[in-house]
Amino acid sequence: MRSHTHKTAAAVGALAAVVALTVAAPPAAAAGRDVTADVLADRDVTLSGDTVVTVPPGTTTYDGVFRGRGTLTVRGTGTLVLTRDSDFTLPKPRQRQQVNVLGGNHPYVTTTDADPPAVTVARGATLQYGNGGTTGLIGHFPYNTPAFRLNQDNIRVDGTLRLSLRSAYNLGTISGSGLITQPRFLWGTWDLSGTHSFSGVIDNGTQVNAGRPEFATSLPAVRKVLNQGTWTVDTPLGRTVTMGMDFYQREYGSDINVQSRPGGKVVLTGRYSWSDRGGDTDPALSDPALNRTPARKNVNKRGTNIKGANVQWGDGTTNEIFMPGTAETVYINLLAARSRSLLTFDYNGPVTLGAPIGGGRFHDTLAAPGAGDIVIKGTKGNDVTFAAVQYYDGSTTVDKRAVLRLGNGRAGGDGGLYTRGDHYKIINNGSLVLNNTSRALSLSRIGGSGSLTQSGAATTTLTGSAVTYTGTTTVQKGTLALRGGATLARSRAIRLTSPKSRLDAGTSGLRVGAGRTLTGKGTVKGAVTNDGVVAGGLTVSGDYTQSGAGELVLRDGPLKVTGTVRLAGDLDLAAVAATAGADRARRITVVDHRGRSTTTGSFTGLKEGAKLQLNDTTYRIGYRGGDGNDVVLTAVSASPSRSSSAADAARTAAGPPASPGTRTANAAAGGIGWWPYVLAAGLLVGLAVPATRFGRGRGRGQRRGGRHAAQGR
């Protein structure tokens, strides 16, 4: 019984069309025996070399089979539908590929030196395997491969190959630049094993296994995948599988599932985007903003399920994030299977994750916390923003040179971490930037050698005794608060960079330990104990206590204190000299004590009324100046004219001889001297104390050279 479109009484006309197509075909495509008439007549074909079928326009359904030894090329402009399985092989002289089963107790299959194609679909033609059933595949299966059947009949697709099968199947090694498409809702599974040179587009309508424990998959030349079903990536034991193509979705309900075996890893370097144009052959998105805008019936919602896998987004050569979107347009699930999952971000520029990582089932991301950990890899330029509150229960590691930002600094882009999980902690060896605009952040268990920056208007609170990071703490904007025993005792430097910067030290106060600095222009709320270096310009909304180990550096104006002031330790006279020389000040306020109590104590060697020689002017220090309790320096001798000769300027830079009881800036500088600050008036304008002056290069156990050496005492 004839069952194809062209098996009618008009067969002569169809054959005439075939002849015309054959004549028009290029010489290379015309090679081989033409069996078009046999196919149109539904006769079985035995191959005995290179064989050609020229498919006329429309659809031709073939109920016969191909067998024998040879190759089959399908060309023309129509569609050839195969309804029965065919089995043939290449002639022996053309067979060269080696198939090996490796891995011992964990076997996996490798194919090397692949055979040339046994089947070729020429440009313009369509070959369809099956008609919605379980048969219609061309294949030969001589290999004893574990858990899947490896097809020996490799295929080249420059036209279209349609996989209309409900069974599990393998196509061998694929090449060409056309389209391989699988209709939706058939639930057939394509085991896409091995390494392929195919450079066209894959349209997955149901299920593709691009890697399994029994084989690795490599598709280095594939440009795009239109994923309208489930694309599953897995690895053999200890193997890395890289998927470099862009994925697109056109309809609701597709996802990418990622798994890996112990020691295995999956690297995804492209993007998973919605597609609103380009059809099957060239899926594309007209506007990147559509990935972040909910569409009708959720047709642009797509997701990934990471199932106990080691997954990396990016390979350090791109800054296009794998899942562009928001909680309304994408979902990301981090699950535990054989082990907890690990997701690493490896980009060479800024990327933004606009959706939460959770652990629910498919679209229901927030039904459970994600079971896994996150790493921001230390690739130069890797700058990752979490613009959504995350819901995974594990650790977050920021490698050296990498940046993690919580919040993007814009309305609707606040971020955060789930802090209640047993595995929660932050290992920050790079830069952690807190940039929420309205949602308050609360973080704990922060360790590592990296820096922390508060840059958003919303308050960030650090809690608990496990805040132990050692990098610099910077408050650029908003408030950074310390509660529940949290301190910054291990942070090497604390900087409040603007008048609106606020550090709320709580009832425990802030202790600036040896070798550490507190600088800037903002406000510290709470008591400050200075055992290290504090720079003027700050406001302490609380008590200020400077121990004998502490040092006050005059920078950006006086230190302003609203509580009690207790003084000991050093005053950096070189910095004071720079200030005095820059503006020829007659009076310099060191501590602006805004509270009502009396300032107690004094800087080492600088009792009430002691004289200091700064540049070419003698000053007297007072601890009851200003409104009665400020620390001030008042000039007691006139400054010489600015028209001094070069020799006078040199003598001024060297400093006048010290009279008994008079402190000098150069003596106070411990041998370095204060001359770098006062070489010329032009150099002094806008001069700030170098950072190296704050630490003074001394560690524990080192002798204090000091700004107040014995010479001046």
Side-chain angles (χ1 to χ4, degrees), residues 517-559:
T517 64
L518 171 63
T519 65
K521 304 176 182 178
T523 299
V524 178
K525 181 181 179 183
V528 173
T529 300
N530 178 11
D531 297 319
V533 177
V534 170
L538 290 164
T539 297
V540 177
S541 181
D543 298 342
Y544 176 76
T545 300
Q546 182 167 314
S547 73
E551 179 181 18
L552 179 63
V553 178
L554 199 63
R555 181 181 182 184
D556 296 324
L559 176 69

Side-chain angles (χ1 to χ4, degrees), residues 558 587-595 597 599 608 620-634:
R587 176 173 166 175
I588 302 168
T589 301
V590 176
V591 178
D592 180 0
H593 189 173
R594 299 178 176 183
S597 61
T599 297
E608 174 72 29
R620 190 184 300 276
I621 191 166
Y623 296 90
R624 295 186 294 274
D627 55 6
N629 57 3
D630 295 340
V631 180
V632 298
L633 301 176
T634 304

Side-chain angles (χ1 to χ4, degrees), residues 146-314:
F148 79 105
R149 297 200 308 158
L150 177 62
N151 195 339
Q152 187 181 22
D153 289 347
N154 300 332
I155 186 168
R156 178 182 180 93
V157 181
D158 291 315
T160 299
L161 175 65
R162 183 175 295 127
L163 305 170
S164 187
L165 297 166
R166 292 183 179 274
S167 57
Y169 50 88
N170 182 275
L171 302 178
T173 300
I174 59 173
S175 57
S177 58
L179 171 67
I180 301 177
T181 179
Q182 182 189 57
R184 299 190 76 199
F185 308 123
L186 284 181
W187 307 115
T189 300
W190 175 15
D191 283 321
L192 180 52
S193 62
T195 299
H196 311 269
S197 64
F198 181 69
S199 61
V201 174
I202 297 174
D203 170 16
N204 170 40
T206 301
Q207 171 72 41
V208 171
N209 288 332
R212 278 179 44 172
E214 296 80 23
F215 58 78
T217 300
S218 178
L219 298 161
V222 169
R223 300 177 294 112
K224 299 177 179 181
V225 168
L226 180 58
N227 187 39
Q228 303 190 87
T230 295
W231 184 278
T232 299
V233 187
D234 204 337
T235 75
L237 195 71
R239 297 287 299 276
T240 295
V241 170
T242 298
M243 298 273 127
M245 71 289 287
D246 288 333
F247 292 86
Y248 290 87
Q249 174 195 292
R250 203 164 52 212
E251 300 291 340
Y252 176 85
S254 74
D255 55 22
I256 296 174
N257 293 332
V258 188
Q259 303 169 128
S260 66
R261 306 299 120 175
K265 185 177 183 179
V266 175
V267 180
L268 301 166
T269 66
R271 292 174 302 168
Y272 190 13
S273 171
W274 188 42
S275 173
D276 66 347
R277 66 179 183 181
D280 297 347
T281 58
D282 190 23
L285 184 64
S286 59
D287 181 357
L290 295 176
N291 274 327
R292 303 184 299 273
T293 305
R296 60 178 182 81
K297 298 183 179 180
N298 288 327
V299 294
N300 66 337
K301 189 158 189 177
R302 57 214 178 277
T304 183
N305 301 295
I306 300 173
K307 301 180 176 180
N310 180 357
V311 178
Q312 179 175 298
W313 290 356

Side-chain angles (χ1 to χ4, degrees), residues 3 39 129 155 178 221 252 261 352 539 572 595 612 617 679-680 701:
S3 58
V39 169
Y129 285 171
I155 186 168
Y252 176 85
R261 306 299 120 175
T352 297
T539 297
D572 188 339
L612 301 88
T617 305
L679 284 177

